[in-house]
Amino acid sequence: MKFIRLRPKRPRPRRPAPPQRDAVTPALGVIALFAVCGLGWIAVDQFLPASSQVATFAGTAQERTARFSMCGRNRHTCVVDGDTIWLDGQNLRLQSYDTPEPHNDICGGQAEVALAHRASARLLELLNSNSFTVQTSGQDRYGRVLATIRIGGRDVGDILIEEGLARRWPDGHEWWCE
């Protein structure tokens, strides 16, 4: 009889199971990244000086067009009155001229309010029917960006003054108060 000697099998060392992948931690990281970026965007918009916010218009002499309406709740691209507009979300005070106030009859009563509405309507018509250039230069005391808008090389203020809808600023006579 022949004996076959069997060697006992040694158990192979087991490899540890691969670790479970955590899907929550990367997702929270992505959410945190978006939150930080969003807060940064808001902080830049709120706290940078207005001169750096106006970079879109500063120094450009490129002609452009836009579709304006009279301002209501949505103040993105609209006409506030004869010398103030919103353009692409920025409040612009048009320089070198002044128009009557449409909401508070400061000195001219209802005649001033009526003239203010005519000036606003004319500015709306000029902006919607022509291409124009925008040039900015600082801010006024109310935080509005000071700007000059030209149509065919002419300041819109000069057009409104010629048509009897505005006066020179700051030394023009408020003739609508008489």
Side-chain angles (χ1 to χ4, degrees):
M1 195 174 234
K2 197 174 184 185
F3 287 100
I4 300 175
R5 191 166 182 211
L6 296 174
R7 291 186 194 166
K9 286 189 177 179
R10 290 185 191 170
R12 288 187 186 177
R14 289 191 172 197
R15 289 185 182 163
Q20 292 288 334
R21 292 191 178 207
D22 179 15
V24 174
T25 303
L28 289 175
V30 169
I31 291 170
L33 179 65
F34 278 110
V36 168
C37 289
L39 290 173
W41 189 304
I42 291 168
V44 165
D45 189 45
Q46 293 295 317
F47 300 114
L48 274 182
S51 60
S52 54
Q53 291 179 351
V54 185
T56 2
F57 306 122
T60 59
Q62 233 177 347
E63 287 203 1
R64 58 174 297 169
T65 59
R67 185 72 188 145
F68 286 85
S69 61
M70 291 304 294
C71 288
R73 287 181 183 245
N74 180 7
R75 292 195 169 209
H76 188 264
T77 300
C78 59
V79 172
V80 175
D81 59 27
D83 53 33
T84 307
I85 65 169
W86 283 82
L87 179 59
D88 297 335
Q90 294 210 328
N91 193 358
L92 304 180
R93 170 57 166 96
L94 305 181
Q95 300 184 87
S96 76
Y97 75 99
D98 184 39
T99 59
E101 297 302 319
H103 301 294
N104 48 359
D105 46 351
I106 295 173
C107 59
Q110 287 305 310
E112 179 181 5
V113 172
L115 184 62
H117 288 298
R118 288 200 329 262
S120 301
R122 180 63 175 139
L123 180 61
L124 178 72
E125 177 187 4
L126 287 168
L127 294 174
N128 280 336
S129 59
N130 297 285
S131 58
F132 55 87
T133 60
V134 180
Q135 188 175 21
T136 61
S137 61
Q139 281 186 311
D140 69 1
R141 65 181 180 204
Y142 303 109
R144 299 175 296 187
V145 176
L146 296 171
T148 301
I149 293 184
R150 288 189 172 80
I151 295 173
R154 290 186 65 203
D155 186 331
V156 292
D158 292 339
I159 297 170
L160 294 175
I161 291 168
E162 282 179 14
E163 294 178 2
L165 300 171
R167 69 175 177 130
R168 288 258 167 253
W169 175 258
D171 56 359
H173 175 65
E174 284 185 312
W175 46 268
W176 51 80
C177 291
E178 298 173 348

